[in-house]
Amino acid sequence: MKVYISGPMTKGDQAFNVRRGMDLAVRLLDAGHSPYLPHLSWFLDLTHPRTWARWIEHDLVWMRACACVIRIPGLSDGADKEVEEALVVGIPVMTEEEFFEEERHHVET
């Protein structure tokens, strides 16, 4: 399943936020999913900077192609915008725990 990861990136410790997203992406990948992690644009932006608005515009295109959004907790204007848009277009939004609990439930039934 294509899964969009939404969460803090620029507020607080940016390296920690990116690592946290990467850890979740690897967990999803190892579980057989295809995660999209917008946090990786942090590396691209170091050498090819774009505006915050441009990155959000880019990310929303990918988010709309995903089956669900996992929201990492924490303050984030971008993640809030992503969640808002996901709900408008009918993409389910859940926490990491909810996602894996739902997945476990489907495997058991």
Side-chain angles (χ1 to χ4, degrees):
M1 169 189 321
K2 293 178 189 172
V3 180
Y4 187 91
I5 300 171
S6 178
M9 187 167 63
T10 58
K11 289 185 178 180
D13 184 336
Q14 292 182 16
F16 172 81
N17 291 338
V18 171
R19 173 61 190 259
R20 194 162 135 199
M22 291 169 63
D23 289 345
L24 175 54
V26 168
R27 183 175 180 203
L28 289 163
L29 191 65
D30 289 348
H33 301 287
S34 295
Y36 178 79
L37 180 62
H39 296 63
L40 294 179
S41 65
W42 184 70
F43 296 102
L44 187 57
D45 196 66
L46 292 173
T47 56
H48 298 81
R50 298 295 184 267
T51 65
W52 179 86
R54 178 61 185 110
W55 285 120
I56 291 296
E57 177 186 357
H58 166 77
D59 294 337
L60 291 177
V61 170
W62 285 102
M63 189 221 40
R64 290 182 194 106
C66 292
C68 71
V69 172
I70 296 179
R71 174 63 159 92
I72 298 171
L75 297 175
S76 172
D77 295 337
D80 291 347
K81 186 170 183 63
E82 292 162 349
V83 166
E84 179 183 312
E85 180 67 17
L87 295 174
V88 165
V89 299
I91 298 171
V93 177
M94 58 194 76
T95 66
E96 178 178 356
E97 293 79 18
E98 290 169 335
F99 178 86
F100 284 103
E101 176 62 27
E102 187 173 302
E103 183 176 77
R104 188 177 64 78
H105 177 72
H106 285 298
V107 170
E108 291 176 354
T109 57

